[in-house]
Short mmCIF file of all heavy atoms in Angstrom, two decimals:
data_model
loop_
_atom_site.label_atom_id
_atom_site.label_comp_id
_atom_site.label_asym_id
_atom_site.label_seq_id
_atom_site.Cartn_x
_atom_site.Cartn_y
_atom_site.Cartn_z
N VAL A 232 51.38 83.74 59.26
CA VAL A 232 51.90 83.31 60.61
C VAL A 232 53.11 82.41 60.44
O VAL A 232 54.05 82.61 61.10
CB VAL A 232 50.85 82.67 61.50
CG1 VAL A 232 51.38 82.24 62.74
CG2 VAL A 232 49.60 83.66 61.67
N ALA A 233 53.04 81.41 59.41
CA ALA A 233 54.18 80.55 59.21
C ALA A 233 55.42 81.27 58.94
O ALA A 233 56.54 80.93 59.30
CB ALA A 233 53.78 79.60 58.12
N ASN A 234 55.32 82.35 58.21
CA ASN A 234 56.55 83.10 57.91
C ASN A 234 56.85 84.17 58.97
O ASN A 234 58.08 84.48 59.04
CB ASN A 234 56.41 83.82 56.56
CG ASN A 234 56.52 82.87 55.43
OD1 ASN A 234 57.49 82.01 55.45
ND2 ASN A 234 55.78 83.03 54.34
N PHE A 235 55.93 84.71 59.63
CA PHE A 235 56.11 85.69 60.61
C PHE A 235 56.82 85.21 61.84
O PHE A 235 57.68 85.66 62.41
CB PHE A 235 54.85 86.51 60.84
CG PHE A 235 55.10 87.89 61.47
CD1 PHE A 235 55.56 88.91 60.68
CD2 PHE A 235 55.12 88.06 62.86
CE1 PHE A 235 55.80 90.14 61.22
CE2 PHE A 235 55.45 89.27 63.36
CZ PHE A 235 55.77 90.38 62.60
N LEU A 236 56.17 84.02 62.31
CA LEU A 236 56.76 83.38 63.51
C LEU A 236 57.74 82.29 62.99
O LEU A 236 57.51 81.31 62.62
CB LEU A 236 55.70 82.67 64.18
CG LEU A 236 54.82 83.26 65.23
CD1 LEU A 236 53.94 82.30 65.88
CD2 LEU A 236 55.58 84.08 66.28
N GLY A 237 59.02 82.78 63.00
CA GLY A 237 60.09 81.85 62.54
C GLY A 237 60.12 81.77 61.22
O GLY A 237 59.41 82.48 60.34
N GLN A 238 60.83 80.73 60.53
CA GLN A 238 60.93 80.54 59.06
C GLN A 238 60.15 79.37 58.72
O GLN A 238 59.94 78.36 59.59
CB GLN A 238 62.44 80.30 58.83
CG GLN A 238 63.11 81.45 58.22
CD GLN A 238 64.56 81.20 57.96
OE1 GLN A 238 65.38 80.95 58.84
NE2 GLN A 238 64.86 81.08 56.67
N SER A 239 59.58 79.25 57.48
CA SER A 239 58.91 78.09 57.02
C SER A 239 59.38 77.87 55.58
O SER A 239 59.62 78.78 54.81
CB SER A 239 57.44 78.37 57.11
OG SER A 239 56.89 78.31 58.38
N ASN A 240 59.34 76.59 55.13
CA ASN A 240 59.32 76.10 53.78
C ASN A 240 57.96 75.97 53.34
O ASN A 240 57.26 75.14 53.95
CB ASN A 240 60.14 74.92 53.60
CG ASN A 240 61.59 75.10 53.91
OD1 ASN A 240 62.32 75.86 53.26
ND2 ASN A 240 62.09 74.43 54.91
N LEU A 241 57.46 76.72 52.46
CA LEU A 241 56.10 76.55 51.96
C LEU A 241 56.12 76.11 50.52
O LEU A 241 56.72 76.75 49.67
CB LEU A 241 55.29 77.88 52.12
CG LEU A 241 55.14 78.35 53.55
CD1 LEU A 241 54.42 79.72 53.50
CD2 LEU A 241 54.27 77.37 54.40
N ILE A 242 55.49 75.00 50.32
CA ILE A 242 55.52 74.36 48.94
C ILE A 242 54.17 74.32 48.50
O ILE A 242 53.12 73.96 49.07
CB ILE A 242 55.98 72.98 49.01
CG1 ILE A 242 57.36 72.85 49.64
CG2 ILE A 242 56.06 72.32 47.55
CD1 ILE A 242 57.77 71.46 50.14
N GLN A 243 54.00 75.01 47.21
CA GLN A 243 52.78 75.07 46.45
C GLN A 243 52.18 73.72 46.24
O GLN A 243 52.96 72.76 45.73
CB GLN A 243 52.89 75.75 45.16
CG GLN A 243 51.71 76.30 44.47
CD GLN A 243 50.91 77.31 45.21
OE1 GLN A 243 51.57 78.31 45.65
NE2 GLN A 243 49.61 77.14 45.59
N ALA A 244 51.02 73.45 46.60
CA ALA A 244 50.41 71.96 46.42
C ALA A 244 48.96 72.06 46.07
O ALA A 244 48.23 73.15 46.27
CB ALA A 244 50.65 71.15 47.64
N GLN A 245 48.38 70.99 45.58
CA GLN A 245 46.99 70.75 45.15
C GLN A 245 46.46 69.57 46.00
O GLN A 245 47.05 68.56 45.99
CB GLN A 245 46.89 70.57 43.65
CG GLN A 245 45.63 70.79 43.03
CD GLN A 245 45.32 72.36 43.02
OE1 GLN A 245 46.13 73.12 42.78
NE2 GLN A 245 43.96 72.63 43.20
N VAL A 246 45.39 69.84 46.65
CA VAL A 246 44.74 68.65 47.42
C VAL A 246 44.20 67.73 46.42
O VAL A 246 43.41 68.13 45.52
CB VAL A 246 43.80 69.18 48.42
CG1 VAL A 246 43.06 68.07 49.16
CG2 VAL A 246 44.41 70.10 49.43
N THR A 247 44.56 66.45 46.65
CA THR A 247 44.01 65.41 45.66
C THR A 247 42.95 64.52 46.40
O THR A 247 42.12 63.97 45.69
CB THR A 247 45.07 64.60 45.15
OG1 THR A 247 45.80 64.02 46.15
CG2 THR A 247 46.01 65.40 44.25
N GLY A 248 43.02 64.42 47.66
CA GLY A 248 42.06 63.56 48.30
C GLY A 248 42.25 63.28 49.70
O GLY A 248 43.27 63.96 50.32
N GLN A 249 41.53 62.42 50.48
CA GLN A 249 41.64 62.19 51.89
C GLN A 249 41.69 60.70 51.96
O GLN A 249 40.82 59.95 51.43
CB GLN A 249 40.63 62.84 52.73
CG GLN A 249 40.86 64.26 52.89
CD GLN A 249 39.94 64.72 54.07
OE1 GLN A 249 39.95 64.27 55.20
NE2 GLN A 249 39.25 65.82 53.74
N ALA A 250 42.52 60.16 52.84
CA ALA A 250 42.50 58.64 53.13
C ALA A 250 43.22 58.39 54.46
O ALA A 250 44.37 59.07 54.67
CB ALA A 250 43.24 57.88 51.99
N ASP A 251 42.77 57.58 55.15
CA ASP A 251 43.31 56.96 56.48
C ASP A 251 43.87 58.19 57.33
O ASP A 251 44.96 58.24 57.81
CB ASP A 251 44.65 56.25 56.22
CG ASP A 251 44.22 55.01 55.24
OD1 ASP A 251 43.02 54.58 55.24
OD2 ASP A 251 45.15 54.53 54.52
N GLY A 252 42.99 59.18 57.52
CA GLY A 252 43.29 60.32 58.44
C GLY A 252 44.39 61.17 57.89
O GLY A 252 44.99 61.95 58.57
N HIS A 253 44.66 61.06 56.54
CA HIS A 253 45.63 61.91 55.92
C HIS A 253 45.04 62.69 54.77
O HIS A 253 44.11 62.03 53.99
CB HIS A 253 46.84 61.11 55.35
CG HIS A 253 47.85 60.80 56.55
ND1 HIS A 253 47.48 59.80 57.34
CD2 HIS A 253 48.99 61.31 56.79
CE1 HIS A 253 48.64 59.72 58.20
NE2 HIS A 253 49.59 60.60 57.88
N VAL A 254 45.50 63.82 54.50
CA VAL A 254 45.11 64.54 53.23
C VAL A 254 46.28 64.31 52.28
O VAL A 254 47.43 64.56 52.66
CB VAL A 254 44.90 66.00 53.62
CG1 VAL A 254 44.70 66.80 52.22
CG2 VAL A 254 43.68 66.23 54.55
N THR A 255 45.97 63.90 51.11
CA THR A 255 47.01 63.68 50.20
C THR A 255 47.04 64.93 49.23
O THR A 255 45.97 65.47 48.84
CB THR A 255 46.82 62.46 49.29
OG1 THR A 255 45.52 62.50 48.80
CG2 THR A 255 47.01 61.23 50.23
N VAL A 256 48.32 65.39 48.93
CA VAL A 256 48.38 66.50 47.99
C VAL A 256 49.42 66.14 46.85
O VAL A 256 50.13 65.15 46.94
CB VAL A 256 48.93 67.77 48.72
CG1 VAL A 256 47.89 68.21 49.75
CG2 VAL A 256 50.34 67.54 49.37
N ASP A 257 49.23 66.94 45.91
CA ASP A 257 50.27 66.76 44.70
C ASP A 257 50.95 68.09 44.78
O ASP A 257 50.55 69.29 44.44
CB ASP A 257 49.42 66.67 43.39
CG ASP A 257 50.33 66.64 42.32
OD1 ASP A 257 50.85 67.66 41.76
OD2 ASP A 257 50.80 65.49 41.71
N ALA A 258 52.29 67.95 45.01
CA ALA A 258 53.20 69.10 44.99
C ALA A 258 54.20 68.96 43.82
O ALA A 258 55.22 68.25 44.01
CB ALA A 258 53.90 69.34 46.36
N HIS A 259 53.96 69.62 42.79
CA HIS A 259 54.87 69.60 41.66
C HIS A 259 55.27 68.26 41.25
O HIS A 259 56.36 67.83 41.05
CB HIS A 259 56.13 70.44 41.93
CG HIS A 259 55.95 71.88 42.35
ND1 HIS A 259 55.63 72.79 41.54
CD2 HIS A 259 55.99 72.28 43.64
CE1 HIS A 259 55.56 73.90 42.30
NE2 HIS A 259 55.77 73.66 43.53
N GLY A 260 54.14 67.39 41.23
CA GLY A 260 54.28 66.04 40.85
C GLY A 260 54.67 65.01 41.87
O GLY A 260 54.76 63.79 41.64
N ASN A 261 54.97 65.54 43.16
CA ASN A 261 55.25 64.65 44.31
C ASN A 261 54.01 64.42 44.94
O ASN A 261 53.30 65.36 45.39
CB ASN A 261 56.30 65.34 45.16
CG ASN A 261 57.72 65.48 44.48
OD1 ASN A 261 58.32 64.67 44.24
ND2 ASN A 261 57.86 66.75 44.11
N ARG A 262 53.62 63.19 45.28
CA ARG A 262 52.49 62.82 46.04
C ARG A 262 52.87 62.78 47.50
O ARG A 262 53.71 62.05 47.92
CB ARG A 262 51.84 61.48 45.74
CG ARG A 262 51.09 61.67 44.36
CD ARG A 262 50.42 60.24 44.01
NE ARG A 262 49.54 59.81 45.08
CZ ARG A 262 48.29 60.33 45.22
NH1 ARG A 262 47.83 61.26 44.38
NH2 ARG A 262 47.42 59.89 46.03
N LEU A 263 52.31 63.71 48.32
CA LEU A 263 52.73 63.85 49.75
C LEU A 263 51.44 63.86 50.62
O LEU A 263 50.35 64.12 50.11
CB LEU A 263 53.43 65.21 49.88
CG LEU A 263 54.75 65.47 49.15
CD1 LEU A 263 55.11 66.86 49.29
CD2 LEU A 263 55.76 64.51 49.56
N ALA A 264 51.64 63.31 51.86
CA ALA A 264 50.51 63.16 52.75
C ALA A 264 50.74 64.09 53.99
O ALA A 264 51.81 64.22 54.42
CB ALA A 264 50.37 61.84 53.16
N VAL A 265 49.66 64.66 54.42
CA VAL A 265 49.75 65.44 55.69
C VAL A 265 48.60 64.94 56.59
O VAL A 265 47.54 64.77 56.15
CB VAL A 265 49.48 66.99 55.32
CG1 VAL A 265 49.49 67.84 56.72
CG2 VAL A 265 50.45 67.43 54.34
N PRO A 266 48.90 64.69 57.93
CA PRO A 266 47.87 64.30 58.83
C PRO A 266 46.64 65.30 58.79
O PRO A 266 46.88 66.54 58.79
CB PRO A 266 48.51 64.30 60.28
CG PRO A 266 50.01 64.25 59.94
CD PRO A 266 50.17 64.81 58.62
N ALA A 267 45.48 64.79 58.66
CA ALA A 267 44.30 65.54 58.60
C ALA A 267 44.21 66.55 59.64
O ALA A 267 43.74 67.69 59.47
CB ALA A 267 43.06 64.66 58.56
N GLY A 268 44.65 66.23 60.84
CA GLY A 268 44.65 67.20 62.06
C GLY A 268 45.53 68.31 61.84
O GLY A 268 45.56 69.18 62.65
N ARG A 269 46.41 68.31 60.90
CA ARG A 269 47.39 69.41 60.69
C ARG A 269 47.04 70.18 59.40
O ARG A 269 47.95 70.82 58.83
CB ARG A 269 48.77 68.85 60.69
CG ARG A 269 49.16 68.33 62.07
CD ARG A 269 50.60 67.87 62.08
NE ARG A 269 51.54 68.91 61.78
CZ ARG A 269 52.06 69.87 62.59
NH1 ARG A 269 51.62 69.97 63.86
NH2 ARG A 269 52.95 70.70 62.15
N CYS A 270 45.88 70.09 58.99
CA CYS A 270 45.45 70.68 57.74
C CYS A 270 44.47 71.87 57.98
O CYS A 270 43.46 71.58 58.63
CB CYS A 270 44.79 69.73 56.70
SG CYS A 270 46.02 68.55 56.20
N ARG A 271 44.81 73.06 57.56
CA ARG A 271 43.86 74.19 57.73
C ARG A 271 42.86 74.23 56.63
O ARG A 271 41.83 74.79 56.67
CB ARG A 271 44.71 75.51 57.72
CG ARG A 271 45.58 75.54 58.96
CD ARG A 271 44.96 75.92 60.31
NE ARG A 271 45.89 75.97 61.41
CZ ARG A 271 45.66 76.05 62.58
NH1 ARG A 271 44.42 76.11 62.97
NH2 ARG A 271 46.59 76.22 63.54
N VAL A 272 43.36 73.50 55.47
CA VAL A 272 42.34 73.52 54.27
C VAL A 272 42.39 72.04 53.89
O VAL A 272 43.34 71.27 54.04
CB VAL A 272 42.78 74.36 53.12
CG1 VAL A 272 42.64 75.76 53.43
CG2 VAL A 272 44.19 74.03 52.72
N THR A 273 41.27 71.55 53.27
CA THR A 273 41.28 70.11 52.89
C THR A 273 40.86 70.02 51.41
O THR A 273 40.40 69.00 50.83
CB THR A 273 40.27 69.27 53.71
OG1 THR A 273 39.01 70.04 53.75
CG2 THR A 273 40.77 69.11 55.06
N SER A 274 40.84 71.23 50.66
CA SER A 274 40.40 71.12 49.14
C SER A 274 41.15 72.25 48.50
O SER A 274 41.54 73.19 49.12
CB SER A 274 38.99 71.10 49.04
OG SER A 274 38.52 72.37 49.46
N GLY A 275 41.22 72.11 47.26
CA GLY A 275 41.74 73.15 46.34
C GLY A 275 43.29 73.32 46.51
O GLY A 275 43.98 72.38 46.94
N SER A 276 43.80 74.53 46.08
CA SER A 276 45.17 74.68 46.30
C SER A 276 45.57 75.08 47.59
O SER A 276 44.78 75.83 48.26
CB SER A 276 45.61 75.73 45.12
OG SER A 276 45.22 76.93 45.52
N ALA A 277 46.82 74.70 48.06
CA ALA A 277 47.24 74.96 49.35
C ALA A 277 48.66 75.06 49.46
O ALA A 277 49.39 74.93 48.39
CB ALA A 277 46.76 73.85 50.23
N LEU A 278 49.14 75.37 50.60
CA LEU A 278 50.71 75.47 50.72
C LEU A 278 51.10 74.39 51.79
O LEU A 278 50.48 74.41 52.94
CB LEU A 278 51.05 76.84 51.35
CG LEU A 278 50.94 77.98 50.21
CD1 LEU A 278 51.17 79.30 50.90
CD2 LEU A 278 51.94 77.83 49.13
N LEU A 279 52.03 73.55 51.48
CA LEU A 279 52.47 72.56 52.43
C LEU A 279 53.67 73.18 53.14
O LEU A 279 54.55 73.67 52.47
CB LEU A 279 52.75 71.26 51.69
CG LEU A 279 53.23 70.10 52.57
CD1 LEU A 279 52.90 68.71 51.97
CD2 LEU A 279 54.65 70.03 52.89
N GLY A 280 53.68 73.12 54.31
CA GLY A 280 54.72 73.85 55.23
C GLY A 280 55.47 72.88 56.00
O GLY A 280 54.85 71.97 56.60
N VAL A 281 56.76 73.12 56.13
CA VAL A 281 57.69 72.37 57.12
C VAL A 281 58.73 73.30 57.53
O VAL A 281 59.38 74.08 56.80
CB VAL A 281 58.42 71.12 56.40
CG1 VAL A 281 58.82 70.19 57.50
CG2 VAL A 281 57.52 70.41 55.42
N ARG A 282 58.92 73.34 58.78
CA ARG A 282 59.97 74.24 59.44
C ARG A 282 61.39 73.73 58.99
O ARG A 282 61.62 72.50 58.91
CB ARG A 282 59.80 74.10 61.02
CG ARG A 282 58.52 74.79 61.55
CD ARG A 282 58.46 76.24 61.42
NE ARG A 282 57.35 76.80 61.93
CZ ARG A 282 57.10 78.11 61.96
NH1 ARG A 282 57.80 78.94 61.25
NH2 ARG A 282 55.94 78.54 62.49
N PRO A 283 62.43 74.58 58.77
CA PRO A 283 63.67 74.23 58.31
C PRO A 283 64.39 73.18 59.29
O PRO A 283 65.09 72.35 58.90
CB PRO A 283 64.45 75.43 58.27
CG PRO A 283 63.46 76.47 58.21
CD PRO A 283 62.30 76.01 58.88
N GLU A 284 64.12 73.30 60.54
CA GLU A 284 64.79 72.27 61.47
C GLU A 284 64.14 70.96 61.53
O GLU A 284 64.78 70.01 62.10
CB GLU A 284 64.90 72.93 62.86
CG GLU A 284 63.53 73.03 63.68
CD GLU A 284 62.76 74.13 63.30
OE1 GLU A 284 63.13 74.91 62.40
OE2 GLU A 284 61.72 74.42 64.03
N LYS A 285 62.97 70.78 60.90
CA LYS A 285 62.26 69.58 60.76
C LYS A 285 62.65 68.78 59.54
O LYS A 285 62.18 67.69 59.25
CB LYS A 285 60.84 69.75 60.93
CG LYS A 285 60.27 70.59 62.16
CD LYS A 285 59.75 69.68 63.16
CE LYS A 285 59.69 70.21 64.59
NZ LYS A 285 59.16 71.59 64.70
N LEU A 286 63.37 69.46 58.63
CA LEU A 286 63.85 68.81 57.45
C LEU A 286 65.14 68.13 57.59
O LEU A 286 66.02 68.54 58.37
CB LEU A 286 63.97 69.82 56.24
CG LEU A 286 62.66 70.51 55.77
CD1 LEU A 286 63.05 71.47 54.70
CD2 LEU A 286 61.72 69.35 55.24
N HIS A 287 65.28 66.95 56.91
CA HIS A 287 66.66 66.19 57.08
C HIS A 287 67.11 66.09 55.72
O HIS A 287 66.46 66.09 54.74
CB HIS A 287 66.28 64.80 57.72
CG HIS A 287 65.59 64.88 59.05
ND1 HIS A 287 66.21 65.27 60.21
CD2 HIS A 287 64.23 64.76 59.30
CE1 HIS A 287 65.27 65.34 61.19
NE2 HIS A 287 64.06 64.96 60.56
N LEU A 288 68.41 65.84 55.66
CA LEU A 288 69.06 65.58 54.34
C LEU A 288 69.63 63.98 54.38
O LEU A 288 70.13 63.62 55.27
CB LEU A 288 70.28 66.56 54.17
CG LEU A 288 69.95 67.97 53.94
CD1 LEU A 288 71.23 68.79 53.72
CD2 LEU A 288 68.98 68.22 52.77
N ALA A 289 69.51 63.46 53.06
CA ALA A 289 70.10 62.20 52.91
C ALA A 289 70.66 62.11 51.67
O ALA A 289 70.14 62.58 50.61
CB ALA A 289 68.97 61.14 53.10
N ALA A 290 71.88 61.63 51.59
CA ALA A 290 72.70 61.53 50.32
C ALA A 290 72.12 60.31 49.46
O ALA A 290 71.95 60.48 48.26
CB ALA A 290 74.15 61.33 50.57
N ASP A 291 71.72 59.31 50.10
CA ASP A 291 71.30 57.99 49.58
C ASP A 291 69.83 57.93 49.75
O ASP A 291 69.35 57.93 50.91
CB ASP A 291 72.03 57.02 50.34
CG ASP A 291 71.70 55.60 49.72
OD1 ASP A 291 70.87 55.51 48.81
OD2 ASP A 291 72.29 54.58 50.16
N PRO A 292 69.00 57.62 48.71
CA PRO A 292 67.52 57.54 48.94
C PRO A 292 67.19 56.36 49.93
O PRO A 292 66.16 56.37 50.59
CB PRO A 292 66.99 57.19 47.52
CG PRO A 292 68.13 56.95 46.70
CD PRO A 292 69.31 57.60 47.30
N ALA A 293 68.11 55.40 50.07
CA ALA A 293 67.86 54.31 50.95
C ALA A 293 67.97 54.66 52.38
O ALA A 293 67.39 53.95 53.26
CB ALA A 293 68.95 53.17 50.59
N ALA A 294 68.62 55.78 52.65
CA ALA A 294 68.76 56.26 54.00
C ALA A 294 67.57 56.97 54.48
O ALA A 294 67.34 57.37 55.57
CB ALA A 294 70.08 57.11 54.06
N VAL A 295 66.62 57.24 53.50
CA VAL A 295 65.38 57.86 53.97
C VAL A 295 64.48 56.98 54.83
O VAL A 295 64.15 55.89 54.30
CB VAL A 295 64.54 58.43 52.75
CG1 VAL A 295 63.22 59.08 53.12
CG2 VAL A 295 65.30 59.45 51.97
N PRO A 296 64.13 57.34 56.04
CA PRO A 296 63.39 56.45 56.86
C PRO A 296 62.01 56.15 56.28
O PRO A 296 61.43 56.90 55.62
CB PRO A 296 63.25 57.15 58.21
CG PRO A 296 64.20 58.33 58.12
CD PRO A 296 64.42 58.59 56.78
N GLN A 297 61.62 54.89 56.69
CA GLN A 297 60.25 54.49 56.29
C GLN A 297 59.13 55.35 56.76
O GLN A 297 59.18 55.94 57.88
CB GLN A 297 60.02 53.02 56.87
CG GLN A 297 58.87 52.32 56.24
CD GLN A 297 59.17 51.93 54.82
OE1 GLN A 297 60.32 51.59 54.43
NE2 GLN A 297 58.05 52.03 53.96
N GLY A 298 58.29 55.77 55.78
CA GLY A 298 57.16 56.64 56.26
C GLY A 298 57.41 58.16 55.98
O GLY A 298 56.51 58.92 56.32
N HIS A 299 58.73 58.53 55.72
CA HIS A 299 59.06 59.93 55.63
C HIS A 299 58.57 60.31 54.21
O HIS A 299 58.79 59.59 53.25
CB HIS A 299 60.51 60.10 55.85
CG HIS A 299 60.81 60.53 57.25
ND1 HIS A 299 61.89 61.30 57.59
CD2 HIS A 299 60.32 60.10 58.39
CE1 HIS A 299 61.94 61.44 58.94
NE2 HIS A 299 60.93 60.76 59.39
N ALA A 300 58.29 61.57 54.04
CA ALA A 300 58.08 62.12 52.72
C ALA A 300 59.41 62.61 52.23
O ALA A 300 60.29 63.06 53.04
CB ALA A 300 57.09 63.35 52.82
#
Side-chain angles (χ1 to χ4, degrees):
Chain A
V232 177
N234 279 324
F235 200 80
L236 275 187
Q238 262 180 287
S239 290
N240 292 297
L241 294 175
I242 303 165
Q243 193 68 51
Q245 198 72 33
V246 176
T247 53
Q249 282 195 56
D251 302 334
H253 280 75
V254 173
T255 52
V256 298
D257 177 278
H259 306 281
N261 298 285
R262 285 184 59 80
L263 303 168
V265 181
R269 293 183 57 82
C270 295
R271 300 284 180 187
V272 290
T273 49
S274 64
S276 68
L278 291 167
L279 185 149
V281 197
R282 296 288 184 182
E284 72 278 9
K285 303 258 165 42
L286 290 180
H287 308 280
L288 291 183
D291 179 1
V295 174
Q297 194 65 39
H299 269 209

